[in-house]
Amino acid sequence: MAVSLLGCTNEPASGVGVSLGEGAQSSGVVGSDNAQIGQEWTIALPVIQNVSDAEIEVTKARVDHVPEGLEVLEYTAYNRYDTEGVALLSYAGAPGMPDFEKFRNYAGSSISVKPNSESDVYYVVRVKVTGRIEGNIEGATFSYRSEGRPYEQSLPFEAALKLAENEKSPAA
Protein backbone atom coordinates (compact mmCIF):
# COMPACT_ATOMS: atom_id res chain seq x y z
CA MET A 1 0.00 0.00 0.00
CA ALA A 2 1.38 3.41 -1.01
CA VAL A 3 0.72 6.47 1.10
CA SER A 4 0.92 9.92 -0.45
CA LEU A 5 2.22 12.74 1.73
CA LEU A 6 1.77 15.56 -0.78
CA GLY A 7 1.28 18.88 0.92
CA CYS A 8 2.50 17.68 4.32
CA THR A 9 5.00 19.81 6.22
CA ASN A 10 6.60 19.76 9.64
CA GLU A 11 5.06 23.18 10.38
CA PRO A 12 1.70 22.96 12.15
CA ALA A 13 -1.22 24.60 10.39
CA SER A 14 -2.19 28.03 11.65
CA GLY A 15 -5.12 28.10 14.00
CA VAL A 16 -7.68 30.84 14.35
CA GLY A 17 -6.39 33.19 17.02
CA VAL A 18 -8.25 34.95 19.81
CA SER A 19 -5.37 36.84 21.47
CA LEU A 20 -5.85 40.16 19.67
CA GLY A 21 -8.31 42.75 20.89
CA GLU A 22 -10.19 45.30 18.85
CA GLY A 23 -9.09 48.87 19.40
CA ALA A 24 -10.22 52.27 18.19
CA GLN A 25 -9.22 51.52 14.58
CA SER A 26 -11.57 48.53 14.52
CA SER A 27 -14.62 50.77 14.70
CA GLY A 28 -15.02 53.63 12.26
CA VAL A 29 -13.38 54.53 8.99
CA VAL A 30 -10.21 56.52 8.42
CA GLY A 31 -9.98 58.15 5.02
CA SER A 32 -9.59 61.04 2.62
CA ASP A 33 -11.53 62.28 -0.38
CA ASN A 34 -8.55 64.15 -1.82
CA ALA A 35 -6.50 61.32 -3.33
CA GLN A 36 -4.73 61.87 -6.65
CA ILE A 37 -3.76 59.23 -9.21
CA GLY A 38 -0.10 58.38 -8.73
CA GLN A 39 -0.01 59.35 -5.04
CA GLU A 40 1.32 56.94 -2.46
CA TRP A 41 -0.52 56.73 0.87
CA THR A 42 0.40 55.11 4.17
CA ILE A 43 -2.41 53.71 6.29
CA ALA A 44 -1.92 52.39 9.83
CA LEU A 45 -3.46 49.00 10.54
CA PRO A 46 -5.10 48.43 13.94
CA VAL A 47 -2.65 48.73 16.83
CA ILE A 48 -1.79 45.28 18.19
CA GLN A 49 -3.53 44.63 21.52
CA ASN A 50 -2.70 41.34 23.22
CA VAL A 51 -5.72 40.48 25.40
CA SER A 52 -4.39 37.04 26.40
CA ASP A 53 -2.41 35.92 29.44
CA ALA A 54 0.51 34.75 27.25
CA GLU A 55 3.14 36.73 25.36
CA ILE A 56 2.69 36.72 21.58
CA GLU A 57 5.13 37.22 18.70
CA VAL A 58 3.49 38.95 15.73
CA THR A 59 5.24 38.00 12.48
CA LYS A 60 3.14 39.54 9.72
CA ALA A 61 0.12 41.71 8.94
CA ARG A 62 -1.90 42.27 5.79
CA VAL A 63 -5.15 43.83 4.66
CA ASP A 64 -7.89 41.43 3.58
CA HIS A 65 -9.44 43.45 0.75
CA VAL A 66 -7.84 46.05 -1.49
CA PRO A 67 -10.24 47.69 -3.95
CA GLU A 68 -9.63 48.23 -7.62
CA GLY A 69 -7.78 51.52 -8.13
CA LEU A 70 -5.29 50.86 -5.32
CA GLU A 71 -2.13 48.79 -5.41
CA VAL A 72 -0.35 47.53 -2.27
CA LEU A 73 3.32 48.49 -2.49
CA GLU A 74 4.51 47.14 0.86
CA TYR A 75 3.79 46.45 4.51
CA THR A 76 6.02 48.06 7.11
CA ALA A 77 6.00 48.44 10.90
CA TYR A 78 7.16 51.35 13.05
CA ASN A 79 7.52 52.27 16.69
CA ARG A 80 4.93 54.86 17.70
CA TYR A 81 7.57 56.74 19.72
CA ASP A 82 9.69 57.19 16.57
CA THR A 83 6.69 58.48 14.58
CA GLU A 84 5.39 60.63 17.47
CA GLY A 85 2.19 58.63 17.75
CA VAL A 86 0.30 56.40 15.33
CA ALA A 87 0.19 58.06 11.92
CA LEU A 88 -3.26 56.85 10.85
CA LEU A 89 -3.27 58.14 7.27
CA SER A 90 -0.91 60.26 5.18
CA TYR A 91 0.37 60.66 1.67
CA ALA A 92 4.03 60.74 0.72
CA GLY A 93 5.45 64.18 1.43
CA ALA A 94 2.45 65.42 3.45
CA PRO A 95 3.46 68.35 5.70
CA GLY A 96 3.65 67.52 9.38
CA MET A 97 3.55 63.75 8.82
CA PRO A 98 6.38 61.33 9.61
CA ASP A 99 9.01 60.59 6.99
CA PHE A 100 8.80 56.81 7.40
CA GLU A 101 12.01 56.26 5.43
CA LYS A 102 13.97 57.77 8.36
CA PHE A 103 12.74 55.19 10.89
CA ARG A 104 13.58 51.58 11.62
CA ASN A 105 11.17 49.21 9.85
CA TYR A 106 10.25 46.33 12.18
CA ALA A 107 8.27 44.38 9.54
CA GLY A 108 11.10 41.88 8.98
CA SER A 109 11.25 40.99 12.68
CA SER A 110 8.78 39.38 15.02
CA ILE A 111 7.12 41.90 17.32
CA SER A 112 6.81 40.80 20.96
CA VAL A 113 3.70 41.88 22.80
CA LYS A 114 3.45 41.17 26.53
CA PRO A 115 0.26 39.67 28.00
CA ASN A 116 -2.67 42.08 28.40
CA SER A 117 -0.87 45.00 26.78
CA GLU A 118 -0.64 47.06 23.62
CA SER A 119 2.33 47.05 21.26
CA ASP A 120 4.44 50.16 20.71
CA VAL A 121 5.01 48.95 17.15
CA TYR A 122 2.22 49.26 14.58
CA TYR A 123 1.91 47.99 11.02
CA VAL A 124 1.39 50.25 8.02
CA VAL A 125 0.28 49.41 4.48
CA ARG A 126 1.63 51.63 1.70
CA VAL A 127 -0.65 51.86 -1.32
CA LYS A 128 -0.50 53.65 -4.66
CA VAL A 129 -3.54 55.19 -6.31
CA THR A 130 -3.66 53.71 -9.83
CA GLY A 131 -7.11 54.82 -11.01
CA ARG A 132 -10.74 55.13 -9.99
CA ILE A 133 -11.10 53.59 -6.53
CA GLU A 134 -13.93 51.07 -6.31
CA GLY A 135 -14.64 50.62 -2.59
CA ASN A 136 -12.70 50.65 0.66
CA ILE A 137 -9.73 48.80 2.09
CA GLU A 138 -11.22 46.33 4.55
CA GLY A 139 -10.04 43.93 7.25
CA ALA A 140 -6.61 43.33 8.73
CA THR A 141 -5.17 39.87 9.40
CA PHE A 142 -2.26 39.32 11.76
CA SER A 143 -0.06 36.22 11.90
CA TYR A 144 1.44 35.46 15.29
CA ARG A 145 2.83 32.74 17.57
CA SER A 146 1.65 32.09 21.09
CA GLU A 147 3.15 29.38 23.28
CA GLY A 148 4.93 27.96 20.24
CA ARG A 149 1.82 27.63 18.05
CA PRO A 150 1.04 29.69 14.91
CA TYR A 151 -2.22 31.63 14.68
CA GLU A 152 -3.94 34.03 12.33
CA GLN A 153 -6.58 36.49 13.43
CA SER A 154 -8.59 39.00 11.43
CA LEU A 155 -9.75 42.28 12.91
CA PRO A 156 -12.33 44.72 11.62
CA PHE A 157 -10.64 47.63 9.87
CA GLU A 158 -11.68 50.05 7.14
CA ALA A 159 -9.94 52.83 5.22
CA ALA A 160 -11.50 54.90 2.45
CA LEU A 161 -9.54 56.77 -0.19
CA LYS A 162 -11.54 58.66 -2.80
CA LEU A 163 -10.29 60.64 -5.77
CA ALA A 164 -10.43 64.41 -5.47
CA GLU A 165 -13.28 66.03 -7.45
CA ASN A 166 -10.86 67.66 -9.87
CA GLU A 167 -8.94 64.42 -10.45
CA LYS A 168 -9.53 62.83 -13.82
CA SER A 169 -9.66 59.07 -13.77
CA PRO A 170 -9.87 56.56 -16.61
CA ALA A 171 -13.40 55.48 -17.50
CA ALA A 172 -14.55 52.47 -15.54
Side-chain angles (χ1 to χ4, degrees):
M1 171 190 275
V3 176
S4 175
L5 296 177
L6 292 176
C8 293
T9 67
N10 290 333
E11 183 69 25
S14 292
V16 175
V18 295
S19 295
L20 303 180
E22 295 180 17
Q25 289 164 271
S26 291
S27 60
V29 179
V30 62
S32 172
D33 57 1
N34 290 309
Q36 304 283 325
I37 293 174
Q39 273 185 330
E40 293 181 9
W41 288 77
T42 56
I43 304 164
L45 300 183
V47 173
I48 304 163
Q49 295 182 357
N50 179 1
V51 296
S52 75
D53 292 331
E55 186 167 331
I56 63 172
E57 298 282 329
V58 180
T59 56
K60 184 168 65 169
R62 69 178 189 278
V63 294
D64 299 330
H65 171 74
V66 179
E68 187 176 322
L70 294 177
E71 173 189 356
V72 172
L73 299 176
E74 69 178 333
Y75 292 95
T76 53
Y78 302 99
N79 188 303
R80 71 171 82 199
Y81 294 107
D82 291 340
T83 61
E84 297 181 12
V86 176
L88 295 177
L89 177 75
S90 69
Y91 61 88
M97 296 308 294
D99 181 357
F100 290 105
E101 307 238 344
K102 292 182 179 179
F103 305 116
R104 177 179 171 193
N105 178 1
Y106 292 84
S109 310
S110 61
I111 298 165
S112 252
V113 187
K114 296 193 181 308
N116 299 302
S117 65
E118 187 172 270
S119 175
D120 289 334
V121 176
Y122 64 100
Y123 280 90
V124 170
V125 60
R126 188 166 60 98
V127 298
K128 182 174 184 173
V129 180
T130 60
R132 185 169 180 228
I133 302 167
E134 299 287 338
N136 293 345
I137 296 172
E138 296 176 333
T141 296
F142 295 86
S143 299
Y144 63 93
R145 297 187 77 75
S146 179
E147 299 179 328
R149 293 188 206 112
Y151 295 95
E152 282 198 340
Q153 185 174 343
S154 292
L155 295 177
F157 166 72
E158 192 168 3
L161 288 177
K162 304 296 179 210
L163 291 178
E165 292 235 358
N166 64 348
E167 180 68 12
K168 296 186 185 207
S169 64

